[in-house]
Amino acid sequence: MSAASARPTVSEREARQVAEAAREQEWRKPSFAKELFLGRFRLDLIHPHPTPSTEQVQRGEEFLAKLRDFVETKVDGGLIEREARIPDEVITGLKELGALGMKIDPKYGGLGLTQVYYNKALALVGSASPAIGVLLSAHQSIGVPQPLKMFGTPEQKERFLPRCARTDISAFLLTEPDVGSDPARLATTAVPDGDSYVLDGVKLWTTNGVVADLLVVMARVPKSEGHKGGITAFVVEAGSEGITVENRNSFMGLRGIENGVTRFHQVRVPAENRIGPEGSGLKIALTTLNTGRLSLPASCVAAGKWCLKIAREWSAAREQWGRPVARHEAVGAKISFIAATTFALEAVMELSSQMADEDRNDIRIEGALAKLIASEMGWTMADELVQIRGGRGFETADSLAARGERGVPAEQLLRDLRINRIFEGSTEIMHLLIAREAVDAHLSVAGDLIDPDKALGDKARAGMKAGGFYARWLPKLVAGPGHIPGAYSSFHPAGHPDLAAHLRYVERNARKLARSTFYAMSRWQGRMETKQGFLGRVVDIGAELFAMSASCVRAEMLRTRGENGREAYQLADAFCRQSRIRVEELFGRLWTNTDAIDRKVVDGVLGGAYTWLESGIVDPTSDGPWIADTTPGASGKENVHRPIR
């Protein structure tokens, strides 16, 4: 059987139906971001800023102190970069410290840290070595602990969580060589056989897979008598017979991560290792990622803090034309962007994380927005640092040190951060995912109206339902507190920048964004889902408005605590002013853009109309297929799996 014939054949519509069935269908708790996209600025959902309990703070700070001592004395980030491997003794030390169980309940041997302190720990360890941050987050954010915490049986928790807390590294296996964000085509199978399932297939980019002891594997169970079938999640022992780690992958950044290709051939997994019912695997994965994605903003915040430190120190020392380069406006603007954006990303991360800890809000959109804006802005900040450093930014830390200068790994940071725009949902996929949630209220009342496959009777009933909804909703988008000069006055204390004006801007533009979305749905109806350029800009506007809101709320919290309040207000003001410029540009591009001509050019490229433009070069790529063969069967390669004991 060839790889092509082994892979399920699905239409575009069928693929969408699989994704739709996997998403959470209902909103049981309020969501600040959902309301924002509907034109309702619910400041009460995030202000006053939620805070952790005294006990949570004490436990978190005690662990951070131990972790800081460990990374300062035991971790050599440069060595990990040079050797492309985290030393076993470092991983062993992290296990002894309890770092594998930061989010695991103490009754299972974990530390029981909150999401806030878990992210602070990831930021701290990631600043020493991003590869270590990835190892810990892949293990806890999407590996075995989180799915079991949310969906596991008491017996599964008792069996696996103590191991995950102290000794066993875990990995999450969903992606396949020909399957990324389109899980409907998943080819790995789990065939029921008595009280077991038999797994066959190949998984790609299994972060931690090379050193993992336990795996969360997504596989397709065939529908049969007594079996619902569908994509299903399993906990699998990484050392099981029939599992081969065929390759340890190498990347442009994060060179120390243990990421591989894993083949399953007739791997027997006990039925009691299945997480949840058959067919619930994708829903488990997506629900896990709601909070799991918050680990990426942590790494981006750490990067921003380091960028700011290096930019400050370097720009004060380096002189051009008689003064420090920071005093030249072109460089100063970059430093201001880094400082303001770092403040905003930390505000987004801490607000989203604290809301996750309190569990009184639905944060599926907030978590996705945090991941989206942090990964994009983190990359931009690193790029600006390289520019500020000039030629030294392009030079490696080892080369700088070899010729007698401070070894600043700016180019490494740029390489390490680039994957964040792809990890756990690429920017393009995040745009679509968030857009789907943002228009959920519209689809719930008008979905049948714009569905071309629905009967006229269904459309008529949908029309009546939609008419009532929009008759109540649309008038509320005309005016609001954003037009009242004194609104949100508590955010303009004497002697501080006026953040109230920025909140009024957010309120006004949330309504404008909702009106724009409604107009687009009216204009394109069922074709709305194909307007990915438009939807991406809608989401980016929402992300900016969310970040502005979080920044203002955090600045006010710090002011009332007496913790650098004036400076926090200045940074929030700077970020909001920069953000407003981006928002205005995005609104303009909703309707004035090159989307139509871009589609024509793409048609020409794919049709071969411009192949003449490719002349005059040589292609350095090697021979071979674009996508590796994944025909099921026994592995013919050496097993490079190396559990760390």
Side-chain angles (χ1 to χ4, degrees):
M1 181 183 292
S2 69
S5 62
R7 189 162 307 285
T9 301
V10 295
S11 67
E12 181 180 355
R13 183 173 182 80
E14 289 171 332
R16 290 198 303 270
Q17 288 173 340
V18 169
E20 183 66 18
R23 62 177 289 273
E24 295 178 74
Q25 302 291 328
E26 297 180 6
W27 297 83
R28 299 180 181 87
K29 299 175 184 176
S31 166
F32 173 81
K34 178 195 173 189
E35 295 293 305
L36 196 68
F37 280 108
L38 284 171
R40 299 190 283 251
F41 181 47
R42 291 286 307 278
L43 185 62
D44 61 295
L45 293 178
I46 61 172
H47 176 68
H49 195 295
T51 56
S53 68
T54 302
E55 187 272 335
Q56 289 172 334
V57 171
Q58 180 178 352
R59 187 169 359 125
E61 292 295 336
E62 287 177 355
F63 176 71
L64 287 182
K66 296 176 183 177
L67 184 63
R68 174 176 288 277
D69 178 69
F70 180 83
V71 297
E72 287 180 341
T73 59
K74 305 297 184 183
V75 175
D76 184 343
L79 176 69
I80 294 172
E81 173 71 4
R82 287 189 297 274
E83 297 190 353
R85 178 162 292 174
I86 303 169
D88 288 3
E89 57 268 25
V90 171
I91 296 178
T92 299
L94 290 168
K95 290 180 179 182
E96 294 170 350
L97 201 62
L100 293 186
M102 287 187 283
K103 290 184 67 180
I104 296 176
D105 194 297
K107 71 180 180 181
Y108 299 115
L111 300 180
L113 299 186
T114 63
Q115 184 73 36
V116 169
Y117 275 96
Y118 171 66
N119 282 346
K120 287 179 181 288
L122 290 180
L124 176 60
V125 75
S127 65
S129 169
I132 297 179
V134 171
L135 181 144
L136 293 176
S137 63
H139 164 68
Q140 293 173 85
S141 296
I142 58 176
V144 171
Q146 190 67 17
L148 285 191
K149 176 183 177 181
M150 302 180 72
F151 300 100
T153 65
E155 293 77 16
Q156 288 173 335
K157 293 175 182 178
E158 290 286 350
R159 285 175 59 204
F160 296 118
L161 290 184
R163 292 169 57 183
C164 292
R166 291 291 174 179
T167 59
D168 288 17
I169 296 171
S170 69
F172 174 76
L173 282 64
L174 171 62
T175 304
E176 298 177 358
D178 198 25
V179 176
S181 299
D182 181 13
R185 301 172 63 248
L186 200 75
T188 298
T189 58
V191 178
D193 182 19
D195 59 357
S196 301
Y197 292 83
V198 179
L199 271 61
D200 281 281
V202 178
K203 295 294 186 178
L204 177 62
W205 297 324
T206 59
T207 302
N208 288 357
V210 177
V211 297
D213 304 284
L214 289 171
L215 314 172
V216 175
V217 181
M218 297 293 167
R220 182 184 303 279
V221 177
K223 188 175 182 180
S224 62
E225 184 177 353
H227 291 277
K228 175 185 176 182
I231 298 174
T232 306
F234 299 89
V235 178
V236 181
E237 298 281 355
S240 299
E241 183 178 354
I243 297 180
T244 305
V245 179
E246 296 187 330
N247 192 62
R248 180 176 185 253
N249 303 320
S250 300
F251 303 100
M252 67 181 288
L254 296 178
R255 290 177 174 170
I257 64 174
E258 300 283 355
N259 181 295
V261 177
T262 304
R263 177 178 290 270
F264 298 86
H265 175 58
Q266 297 290 293
V267 178
R268 189 166 291 275
V269 180
E272 60 263 27
N273 284 23
R274 189 188 68 219
I275 308 174
E278 290 181 357
S280 63
L282 282 184
K283 181 166 289 189
I284 290 172
L286 292 177
T287 305
T288 299
L289 281 172
N290 285 339
T291 53
R293 287 193 177 99
L294 292 176
S295 62
L296 285 179
S299 68
C300 295
V301 168
K305 290 174 178 286
W306 184 77
C307 286
L308 181 60
K309 180 179 185 294
I310 298 302
R312 172 178 57 82
E313 294 174 350
W314 165 250
S315 299
R318 174 66 163 165
E319 289 192 0
Q320 289 280 277
W321 295 297
R323 52 179 168 166
V325 293
R327 298 300 181 186
H328 293 284
E329 194 170 89
V331 175
K334 298 180 187 300
I335 296 174
S336 174
F337 166 77
I338 292 173
T341 303
T342 298
F343 178 83
L345 294 190
E346 188 165 39
V348 166
M349 180 190 74
E350 294 213 351
L351 177 62
S352 300
S353 300
Q354 189 58 45
M355 287 196 294
D357 286 330
E358 291 189 349
D359 198 30
R360 59 185 172 92
N361 288 351
D362 188 320
I363 66 155
R364 74 181 84 162
I365 300 183
E366 286 84 348
L369 288 174
K371 187 273 179 187
L372 172 67
I373 194 169
S375 60
E376 291 293 324
M377 290 297 192
W379 161 263
T380 303
M381 287 190 293
D383 188 52
E384 293 288 37
L385 176 64
V386 168
Q387 193 70 19
I388 291 170
R389 287 275 290 160
R392 290 173 173 85
F394 193 66
E395 191 172 359
T396 67
D398 284 348
S399 178
L400 289 164
R403 60 183 184 79
E405 292 192 1
R406 184 175 299 185
V408 179
E411 59 83 29
Q412 180 192 336
L413 181 69
L414 196 65
R415 290 187 285 103
D416 287 342
L417 284 177
R418 184 59 183 84
I419 188 59
N420 287 346
R421 299 174 63 202
I422 301 171
F423 260 167
E424 297 182 17
S426 68
T427 292
E428 293 73 24
I429 292 299
M430 297 307 297
H431 278 154
L432 298 181
L433 184 152
I434 298 168
R436 172 61 186 88
E437 300 295 353
V439 301
D440 185 54
H442 300 283
L443 293 179
S444 67
V445 299
D448 288 351
L449 193 62
I450 63 177
D451 189 336
D453 294 336
K454 291 296 180 180
L456 288 178
D458 294 330
K459 289 181 179 291
R461 285 187 290 273
M464 294 178 61
K465 183 179 179 181
F469 171 79
Y470 290 119
R472 297 186 301 272
W473 178 67
L474 286 171
K476 297 178 181 179
L477 301 183
V478 177
H483 289 107
I484 303 174
Y488 314 114
S489 58
S490 62
F491 285 82
H492 190 193
H496 291 67
D498 184 8
L499 298 188
H502 297 312
L503 293 179
R504 292 194 294 271
Y505 178 88
V506 171
E507 196 278 337
R508 290 195 306 273
N509 283 278
R511 286 186 282 109
K512 181 179 179 180
L513 183 61
R515 293 195 301 268
S516 299
T517 304
F518 172 74
Y519 174 70
M521 289 193 66
S522 303
R523 176 179 176 181
W524 291 313
Q525 298 186 30
R527 293 183 294 124
M528 178 79 161
E529 65 183 21
T530 68
K531 304 298 180 180
Q532 295 180 3
F534 179 91
L535 292 173
R537 295 175 198 114
V538 165
V539 169
D540 285 340
I541 292 170
E544 294 282 1
L545 298 180
F546 176 46
M548 290 174 67
S549 304
S551 299
C552 293
V553 168
R554 182 167 186 248
E556 175 61 10
M557 177 189 68
L558 294 177
R559 184 190 72 84
T560 57
R561 288 181 177 177
E563 300 175 6
N564 304 304
R566 190 180 305 277
E567 294 78 13
Y569 257 68
Q570 291 170 349
L571 289 169
D573 181 48
F575 175 78
C576 288
R577 290 177 184 275
Q578 295 167 10
S579 180
R580 287 168 71 157
I581 293 172
R582 294 190 291 267
V583 167
E584 293 302 318
E585 179 186 356
L586 286 165
F587 267 122
R589 290 174 55 210
L590 284 180
W591 311 111
T592 304
N593 52 62
T594 62
D595 292 351
I597 189 63
D598 291 343
R599 287 192 292 272
K600 291 181 180 179
V601 171
V602 170
D603 289 341
V605 170
L606 296 181
Y610 310 130
T611 53
W612 51 268
L613 191 59
E614 301 167 9
S615 64
I617 63 167
V618 293
D619 183 354
T621 57
S622 64
D623 292 333
W626 286 104
I627 299 170
D629 180 35
T630 57
T631 303
S635 178
K637 297 185 178 181
E638 177 187 357
N639 189 0
V640 298
H641 181 230
R642 57 175 202 93
I644 298 170
R645 291 285 182 260

